[in-house]
Amino acid sequence: MSLTPSQWAALLPLLIPVFGACVIVIMSLDTDQATTKWIRGAMYGTALLAVAGSFWYLTDLWKAGSQPAFFQLHMDRLAQFTGIFVMVAAALTVLQSWDHFHQEGWVKGETLALLLFSAVGMMLFASTTHFVTLFLGLELFSIPLYALVGTVRARSESAEGGMKYFLTGAVASSCFLMGGVLIYGLSGTFDLAAAASILTVKGLALDPLVLVGAALMLLGFLFKVSAVPFHQWTPDAYEAAPHPIAGFMSVATKGVAFIALLRVFPGSFAPLGALGMKMQAVVAILAVATLVLGNLTALVQSNVKRMLAYSSISHAGYLLLGFVAGTPAAYTGVLFYLVIYLAMNMGAFGLLTAFGLVGEHTTFEDLRGLGWKRPAMGFAAAVFMLSLAGIPPLGGFYGKYMIFRELVGTGHVGLAILGVLASLVSAYYYLRLLVALFLQAPSAEAERLASDRPAVHAPLAGAAVLVCAVIVLAGGFLQYALVDGFAKRALVEGLGLLR
Amino acid sequence: MTWLNLHPLTFLVFAPTLLGFVLMALPHKVGKLSRLLGFLGALAIFILSLAWLLGHTPAAGGTILAERAPWFTLVGLPVDYALAVDGLNLWLVLLTTFLVPLTMLGTWNSLKDRLGTFAALFLLLETGMLGALVAQDLFVFYLFWEAMLIPMYFMIGIWGGDERRYAANKFFLYTLSGSLLWLVALLYLANKAGGFNPALMAQAASALSFGVQSWLFIAFAVAFAIKVPLFPLHTWLPDAHVQAPTAGSVILAGVLLKLGGYGFIRFAIPMFPQAAMHYAKPIALLSVIAIVYGALVAMVQRDIKKLVAYSSVSHMGFVMLGLASMTVIGTQGAMLQMLNHGISTGALFLLVGMLYDRAHTRMIADFGGVAVKMPIFTTFFMIVTLSSIGLPLTNGFVGEFWILNGTFLSGFGWGRLYACLATSGVLLGAVYMLWMFMRVFWGPENKDEDSGTHHLHTDLNAREIAVMLPIVVLIVWMGVHPKTFVAASEAPVTALLQEIKAPAPRVFVLKPAVPEAPEGSETHAPDAPTAHEVH
């Protein structure tokens, strides 16, 4: 069995990060890595190179268009979209990690290797409709993340969060696997698209076992997007994880889980029309619960990372509302939303690093008055928070706008009203961060701590934050270009929707 | 120059933002330079707007300047980048461009820190206000309407008083709550109309059942009423006004509140004429409550700034009453009253700011005999006070008189009663303003060491006089020859009301009011309850 050159080209974006990760693992065998600066530099350089190489080949593929599927691997526009999405997130994470791990005093090469493996798993996860490959992708991106959450072993909370995440994640993976097995048992094929056709032909579309199987698979996705009631791991894991890793999880895990959900449920399971309707009702209820619980709990957080965790839960609610509307335009909105969400959330977590907040010192109190000390970062913070709250003319507004518009268009006016009310609540806790940054003077305690710490130099994290701010601003003024040129093409030429 | 000839409005709207970003990028150390640059920029915008807007002869439809180009189509809804200045918004645009540099000059030394950032935010706010005023596409209007909140939030929150964080959050979230629900209504209607063009949306709205129209109208009305603010949605206003720095209060009162009334006349009433007629009575009732309640609450205030804030509630109640009267004279009165309130209340906030900068207190009880120490200041305060309570020959009189006249003659069953009730608000207005004036300026000099009067050492300087003079000129000009300021809006208002009430037999009562109103207003004075109370 041999691969044609074009198939090699389609595989390269996956292979390059794997190769880079292996090189980094070898480098990190050097016991002096904590003391020798050039080795650390080489490891980070390799990681960035691997991400850039993968990104480069992905843009090449994007220019060429959708690739024919092989080995159950669909390198279509949607997969390329996912790849670009994940690689941008990974690059931002690597940049922020350099500063964050130096601040924490815990620079280890294996974090980078794990990050790259996870990124490859994510691309695999979102580019297949074959259940085994899907599960492989899920585990390949989840297991490194379990380890990454607990990576700073010097902190006991870190290990605790990692363990929590691992245990709940393992249960969710098992459920996902069970669901796939049920579908396989009834249809006799692992290819989900084929299975859907077979089940329809057999008249088993509404068979209780099929429903259970589909529901268990849905549970797996909902766990990864951290929708209520599968969200409890999120705040603990984010709080335990190093800031850049928390940002990466909040963005990339959620993003690829939504894209894979899009590929499987409205995509592959399209023939099972009636099942789709049942799932839609379930998703609507869960979306409402996610919005209400996520937003209300975020209100009372005193730790910025936990607030961002609940905020990320509530954003899963808005995205799920896009699935409730269920029109091609709504899915376009979901993809656009994810792009903006990538920038604003990676940026928000990057701020913590850029402001030099380490360990547990990530409360609103710790941020007081910092906006004036670092005006550029403060400006970026205002952009991220207002965009997360959905205030025009920033990118976040247009994501919500597209989803709410489709909800109204499909007759779900009540859900749209609930959505805007949730937005209103969210504005309060996002403003709290701006209140801390600009409207409050630093507390005496914070001043003392700041004088104890060495001056913060986080040039790479700062650069990453500014890149994110530019993307969010661009999303507000060139939204149509992003939607038409990127999100819509991924959907049309990836899933064949909107044709 | 060709680009500028084609896009004068784009330039007017976005030049402040460009300058604002430049100022934001300048270092803190050159704050004084930034303040100067900001002022000169705003002044240039004002001069340009005067030259361009008054220099163009209006086209047939009354449009003075217009730009329209397709912007983007998202989720099937086309959005046009459509801006225009016509009779309805001409003077509000000029009021905005006038007040911004004036306020900057008037509060030159009020702030001590982060001058550049303040000037930058002020300029961003100007973009938001101008954009909302000239937008002719509802999506564009919504963008500017919301974007306006951001600079105002920071202006209150950073440079405000002791309770500034609470006030800023309340202002932001209160306004946001109205506009988010309005967004759903907007999306619902845009979905029916296939776009955000107001004409198309009005057409689509007319095809809907009255029940749906009512809901949509209520969503529009609540969003605008919060901004006005109409009783009982006014509770954010006293907090925001009292906590905001002087410049913020002036612009809040001067322009931001006007956008609520403008939203009614530009969008809510024309788009849902039936519902607007149907809900005229409750709106009028709330307006009357706002007039009387605002005045009563103002009367018992101990803080001058809070008193002025509640007087805003009362005065904006007149605006809403005029709009609800659905008569040409009432609506024209509302248009004028919006300008009046912008000038008079803006000036009051400026004056209170000048007093506060010297005495560091705003409590009425801390003063007494200020007239002895600051004669020039007292003179200006007197003139503005008289304008605020509607003395004939000042601007306040004409607007209130037209509104009461329009309400009385509206032909609605409630018209006469409400006009009488609202008139009591004029009386109360005289009571609270003059009583405050008496306690602060007259009487024996308050010699107490801690008193505000004791800390007054200097009268107004040349800069402050330069700020107040154009205001006094406008107060008299608008009182003597209001036609200058309402001539442009007469045709669109008349056309709008004729369209709304075409089948109604009431139209004849409007006719005598329209042509004689501007010049004849003084001769009507004996009939108007206003005059008696003032004397």
Side-chain angles (χ1 to χ4, degrees):
Chain A
M1 186 176 69
S2 65
L3 290 167
T4 66
S6 70
Q7 287 172 339
W8 271 113
L11 266 183
L12 271 179
L14 292 162
L15 294 179
I16 293 172
V18 171
F19 179 72
C22 295
V23 172
I24 292 170
V25 168
I26 295 169
M27 283 188 196
S28 62
L29 289 177
D30 189 318
T31 46
D32 293 336
Q33 57 168 310
T35 50
T36 318
K37 192 156 190 178
W38 73 265
I39 292 181
R40 296 197 301 251
M43 290 189 305
Y44 274 83
T46 312
L48 273 181
L49 263 180
V51 170
S54 174
F55 182 82
W56 172 264
Y57 280 103
L58 280 164
T59 50
D60 249 19
L61 282 176
W62 181 267
K63 279 179 211 143
S66 287
Q67 303 296 311
F70 62 100
F71 303 157
Q72 286 83 41
L73 195 66
H74 299 257
M75 255 303 156
D76 54 16
R77 275 276 155 87
L78 190 62
Q80 295 159 11
F81 173 93
T82 316
I84 293 173
F85 178 86
V86 172
M87 285 308 145
V88 171
L92 292 168
T93 311
V94 172
L95 288 176
Q96 296 176 9
S97 298
W98 172 263
D99 289 325
H100 177 72
F101 286 119
H102 277 85
Q103 288 164 4
E104 289 275 11
W106 188 269
V107 192
K108 300 280 177 193
E110 56 262 34
T111 45
L112 294 173
L114 288 170
L115 183 73
L116 290 178
F117 280 127
S118 183
V120 173
M122 285 172 176
M123 285 167 68
L124 201 62
F125 186 53
S127 47
T128 182
T129 56
H130 191 274
F131 183 77
V132 173
T133 319
L134 198 67
F135 187 71
L136 209 64
L138 178 73
E139 291 302 285
L140 183 54
F141 89 70
S142 298
I143 292 171
L145 282 181
Y146 300 141
L148 279 172
V149 167
T151 188
V152 183
R153 292 190 292 276
R155 286 170 50 200
S156 59
E157 297 84 358
S158 187
E160 183 194 331
M163 187 50 84
K164 252 184 197 163
Y165 183 30
F166 169 64
L167 290 176
T168 46
V171 174
S173 291
S174 323
C175 290
F176 186 73
L177 189 60
M178 189 65 211
V181 166
L182 284 176
I183 302 270
Y184 170 73
L186 289 165
S187 65
T189 171
F190 274 124
D191 189 318
L192 294 172
S197 311
I198 291 169
L199 289 175
T200 316
V201 172
K202 283 185 176 173
L204 290 173
L206 280 181
D207 189 272
L209 277 180
V210 173
L211 279 181
V212 170
L216 284 172
M217 282 184 70
L218 186 65
L219 186 155
F221 288 118
L222 291 178
F223 178 84
K224 287 297 168 195
V225 304
S226 53
V228 171
F230 314 110
H231 68 287
Q232 281 98 341
W233 60 274
T234 317
D236 291 329
Y238 287 10
E239 196 185 7
H243 311 332
I245 302 299
F248 183 72
M249 281 165 57
S250 77
V251 164
T253 306
K254 198 185 296 286
V256 292
F258 269 117
I259 293 168
L261 180 64
L262 186 61
R263 199 187 271 285
V264 171
F265 273 79
S268 301
F269 285 173
L272 302 166
L275 178 124
M277 294 304 291
K278 283 204 187 314
M279 290 296 152
Q280 200 188 30
V282 174
V283 168
I285 293 166
L286 293 183
V288 170
T290 307
L291 279 175
V292 172
L293 208 84
N295 277 311
L296 292 184
T297 324
L299 281 177
V300 296
Q301 301 305 316
S302 59
N303 189 320
V304 176
K305 277 172 94 177
R306 288 187 83 86
M307 181 277 274
L308 285 173
Y310 284 107
S311 130
S312 102
I313 291 170
S314 75
H315 281 277
Y318 298 116
L319 288 157
L320 282 176
L321 283 182
F323 281 77
V324 176
T327 60
Y331 295 135
T332 317
V334 167
L335 291 185
F336 173 77
Y337 199 125
L338 285 175
V339 172
I340 300 301
Y341 178 74
L342 160 78
M344 49 196 191
N345 236 35
M346 277 311 292
F349 278 102
L351 284 171
L352 299 176
T353 307
F355 284 130
L357 304 179
V358 290
E360 270 70 60
H361 297 287
T362 53
T363 59
F364 286 103
E365 283 289 301
D366 294 311
L367 280 169
R368 278 171 64 165
L370 284 178
W372 295 109
K373 287 197 175 151
R374 310 281 305 277
M377 291 300 113
F379 178 79
V383 169
F384 298 140
M385 291 304 127
L386 294 169
S387 176
L388 282 165
I391 308 292
L394 297 162
F397 166 70
Y398 287 95
K400 283 182 183 163
Y401 165 73
M402 291 175 78
I403 288 172
F404 291 158
R405 184 256 176 273
E406 285 306 306
L407 278 176
V408 171
T410 50
H412 297 95
V413 179
L415 284 179
I417 290 177
L418 192 112
V420 296
L421 289 180
S423 265
L424 178 67
V425 173
S426 76
Y428 180 77
Y429 57 81
Y430 293 128
L431 285 180
R432 259 184 86 189
L433 196 109
L434 297 182
V435 167
L437 283 179
F438 292 106
L439 273 49
Q440 290 180 315
S443 61
E445 170 73 3
E447 290 276 24
R448 194 182 57 75
L449 280 174
S451 61
D452 285 354
R453 280 201 297 268
V456 179
H457 292 294
L460 292 182
V465 166
L466 290 183
V467 168
C468 292
V470 168
I471 297 176
V472 175
L473 283 172
F477 293 98
L478 302 169
Q479 67 298 93
Y480 53 94
L482 265 174
V483 169
D484 288 347
F486 201 41
K488 202 181 267 180
R489 289 179 78 180
L491 204 63
V492 175
E493 295 166 44
L495 281 190
L497 292 166
L498 279 175
R499 281 242 168 90
Chain B
M1 278 313 271
T2 45
W3 184 90
L4 209 55
N5 288 339
L6 288 172
H7 304 95
L9 289 178
T10 303
F11 181 80
L12 278 185
V13 171
F14 288 103
T17 292
L18 277 182
L19 181 58
F21 277 119
V22 171
L23 297 188
M24 225 179 253
L26 289 177
H28 283 316
K29 273 171 271 176
V30 295
K32 288 188 175 163
L33 175 72
S34 302
R35 176 177 62 184
L36 182 66
L37 282 178
F39 168 69
L40 291 177
L43 193 65
I45 296 287
F46 172 57
I47 293 166
L48 278 179
S49 68
L50 271 185
W52 286 349
L53 298 182
L54 296 181
H56 279 70
T57 36
T63 309
I64 296 164
L65 285 176
E67 288 174 39
R68 178 178 285 275
W71 187 13
F72 63 78
T73 301
L74 216 57
V75 277
L77 298 177
V79 172
D80 281 349
Y81 177 72
L83 310 177
V85 171
D86 56 19
L88 282 182
N89 57 15
L90 167 66
W91 286 102
L92 287 170
V93 168
L94 290 175
L95 176 73
T96 310
T97 55
F98 168 68
L99 277 181
V100 170
L102 194 79
T103 310
M104 285 181 165
L105 192 63
T107 58
W108 197 255
N109 290 325
S110 300
L111 301 174
K112 299 295 171 225
D113 53 349
R114 295 164 187 148
L115 301 171
T117 315
F118 189 81
L121 287 173
F122 212 154
L123 290 168
L124 294 186
L125 185 62
E126 185 174 14
T127 289
M129 297 184 296
L130 289 177
L133 281 170
V134 300
Q136 300 294 314
D137 180 285
L138 270 160
F139 190 86
V140 178
F141 180 73
Y142 182 82
L143 289 187
F144 283 116
W145 176 273
E146 290 279 65
M148 216 160 40
L149 293 180
I150 303 171
M152 197 69 208
Y153 171 78
F154 285 111
M155 283 166 76
I156 297 176
I158 296 173
W159 292 273
D162 295 336
E163 297 288 314
R164 60 183 186 277
R165 290 189 287 275
Y166 169 76
N169 274 335
K170 191 167 175 181
F171 161 76
F172 193 96
L173 296 172
Y174 214 120
T175 319
L176 191 65
S177 65
S179 41
L180 280 174
L181 291 173
W182 172 45
L183 176 66
V184 177
L186 210 53
L187 285 172
Y188 185 87
L189 198 54
N191 188 43
K192 299 278 180 206
F196 289 96
N197 184 321
L200 286 178
M201 289 176 99
Q203 212 177 350
S206 64
L208 297 169
S209 73
F210 181 71
V212 178
Q213 277 190 48
S214 295
W215 278 113
L216 294 174
F217 176 74
I218 289 171
F220 274 63
V222 167
F224 298 146
I226 286 177
K227 207 73 151 194
V228 168
L230 186 61
F231 179 90
L233 301 172
H234 67 283
T235 53
W236 62 272
L237 183 87
D239 287 308
H241 262 322
V242 172
Q243 296 304 324
T246 302
S249 300
V250 175
I251 289 300
L252 197 59
V255 185
L256 256 63
L257 307 190
K258 307 296 147 351
L259 278 158
Y262 173 75
F264 271 99
I265 186 80
R266 166 74 74 189
F267 296 115
I269 296 175
M271 285 171 72
F272 310 99
Q274 260 185 298
M277 286 296 278
H278 188 258
Y279 288 103
K281 184 178 179 184
I283 291 179
L285 176 63
L286 292 177
S287 310
V288 170
I289 295 177
I291 292 170
V292 177
Y293 167 84
L296 286 175
V297 179
M299 209 181 291
V300 298
Q301 294 306 318
R302 283 179 287 187
D303 181 335
I304 308 176
K305 205 172 182 186
K306 212 161 186 175
L307 183 146
V308 179
Y310 275 106
S311 84
S312 270
V313 175
S314 183
H315 286 169
M316 290 308 287
F318 276 104
V319 172
M320 290 310 298
L321 186 64
L323 292 176
S325 76
M326 298 283 169
T327 59
V328 173
I329 186 160
T331 310
Q332 283 285 71
M335 297 295 289
L336 186 66
Q337 179 72 2
M338 287 204 264
L339 299 177
N340 289 339
H341 179 259
I343 299 284
S344 307
T345 308
L348 276 177
F349 277 120
L350 273 175
L351 288 166
V352 173
M354 290 170 186
L355 192 64
Y356 180 77
D357 286 347
R358 288 171 169 76
H360 302 290
T361 171
R362 290 186 306 247
M363 293 298 153
I364 295 174
D366 286 343
F367 293 97
V370 172
V372 184
K373 287 207 153 185
M374 299 177 73
I376 305 176
F377 177 75
T378 310
T379 312
F380 281 122
F381 209 109
M382 186 79 221
I383 295 169
V384 176
T385 301
L386 293 177
S387 136
S388 176
I389 60 185
L391 188 82
L393 284 184
T394 65
N395 56 356
F397 170 71
V398 188
E400 286 176 4
F401 176 69
W402 286 355
I403 289 166
L404 292 171
N405 191 0
T407 312
F408 198 78
L409 298 177
S410 65
F412 287 120
W414 43 265
R416 293 173 182 219
L417 173 66
Y418 284 9
C420 294
L421 289 174
T423 308
S424 72
V426 182
L427 171 73
L428 292 171
V431 172
Y432 66 75
M433 285 306 287
L434 290 179
W435 190 30
M436 179 272 285
F437 191 84
M438 190 183 80
R439 284 179 292 166
V440 172
F441 290 90
W442 292 340
E445 190 184 327
N446 190 338
K447 303 250 186 212
D448 192 352
E449 284 284 307
D450 303 330
S451 74
T453 314
H454 186 77
H455 291 97
L456 301 173
H457 302 301
T458 52
D459 205 345
L460 297 195
N461 57 27
R463 169 180 61 80
E464 288 163 325
I465 293 172
V467 168
M468 293 314 296
L469 275 180
I471 290 176
V472 171
V473 169
L474 276 174
I475 284 175
V476 177
W477 188 347
M478 291 169 82
V480 174
H481 195 261
K483 193 168 183 177
T484 317
F485 302 93
V486 291
S489 59
E490 187 165 324
V493 166
T494 313
L496 167 67
L497 288 166
Q498 263 169 7
E499 204 172 317
I500 291 177
K501 309 210 298 185
R506 281 191 292 277
V507 175
F508 72 96
V509 292
L510 308 176
K511 281 183 180 162
V514 180
E516 63 170 299
E519 276 84 21
S521 48
E522 269 85 55
T523 55
H524 274 262
D527 301 340
T530 333
H532 299 296
E533 277 95 43
V534 173
H535 295 308

